[in-house]
Every structure is written in structure tokens, then in C-alpha cells.
Amino acid sequence: MVTNLVPDVRNPACPTRVVLDRIGDRWTSLVVLTLLDGPMRFTRLRSAVGGVAPKVLTQTLRAMERDGLLSRTVHAEVPPRVDYELTELGRSLRAPIQAITDWAEAHVVDVEAARAAYDAGREDR
């Protein structure tokens, strides 16, 4: 669905929100970061991402393929081999996702301290 709307993520009718939801998804970001190293098979990708259930990873990969962020290549072998690889559009997410990752790694201690302080304050009530 292509619309004539001017992109504005704050507009509830704007499809930009769907795109933002996709790239803001926890697993999408981790898949992008992992596939920046090159194509991978499902099992290796799941292991590299860590902590994701096979069903959830399958759903994430299908959604990313639908959105044009990755390609899925089936090789005619026995057993069949399937490789997942970022498209040019998917690779274009490198800088924004890396910036968010860098921020998270630089501030994880601050966030954990804020959470602990908040939770301690809630216990007093």
C-alpha cells in the first residue's frame, strides 16, 4: 500500500509507524547486527542471536523478508540449505542500529542504576 501522505511518524495514519515498529523490534535489530557479517543459515543465525525461540525467529525473518530487509535463498541440496542475507536496504540499517547499540552499551550501567533507584523508591510505598 503506497500512500500520498507526507511521512510523519507522529501521524497515526502514516505507514512510517509500521516501518518504525519493524526496525525497533528487538529481534530485527539483533538479526541485522548478526547478518552484517554475511549470509547465515537458520541454525547458525539463531545461535548467534541467542535467546530467540525458533518460531519467533522464523516470524521475524519472514517479516524482514516481506519488508525487503533480507533475502532468503534456498539451495537445491539434500537436505535443502537456506541462507539468509541482508539486502541493500537491510544493510542501510547498519549506522542507526549500531548507534543505538553503542548508546545502550555505554549507558547500561546508568539505566540499571536508575531502575534500582526507582524500584527501591517503589518498595517504600
Side-chain angles (χ1 to χ4, degrees):
M1 175 175 112
V2 177
T3 66
N4 293 328
L5 288 174
V6 174
D8 178 5
V9 75
R10 291 178 190 93
N11 179 347
C14 184
T16 303
R17 286 191 176 199
V18 176
V19 176
L20 188 59
D21 286 346
R22 169 63 45 232
I23 62 175
D25 173 72
R26 170 185 182 183
W27 300 115
T28 297
S29 299
L30 293 171
V31 167
V32 168
L33 287 172
T34 303
L35 288 179
L36 286 170
D37 294 334
M40 286 188 190
R41 294 173 76 171
F42 183 90
T43 304
R44 184 166 166 233
L45 179 59
R46 181 172 172 245
S47 175
V49 167
V52 61
K55 179 181 177 182
V56 173
L57 181 57
T58 297
Q59 291 169 340
T60 300
L61 293 171
R62 284 182 183 155
M64 291 177 68
E65 182 180 14
R66 181 175 184 237
D67 292 344
L69 301 176
L70 63 77
S71 62
R72 179 179 181 269
T73 304
V74 179
H75 300 275
E77 300 176 1
V78 178
R81 188 181 87 204
V82 179
D83 291 321
Y84 296 92
E85 182 175 16
L86 292 175
T87 62
E88 186 176 334
L89 182 61
R91 285 189 300 275
S92 74
L93 287 168
R94 173 191 293 266
I97 290 177
Q98 190 61 58
I100 292 169
T101 300
D102 292 346
W103 183 92
E105 290 174 347
H107 296 284
V108 65
V109 172
D110 301 324
V111 171
E112 287 179 337
R115 286 180 176 179
Y118 178 86
D119 292 346
R122 303 289 292 176
E123 291 172 1
D124 295 340
R125 294 182 185 185

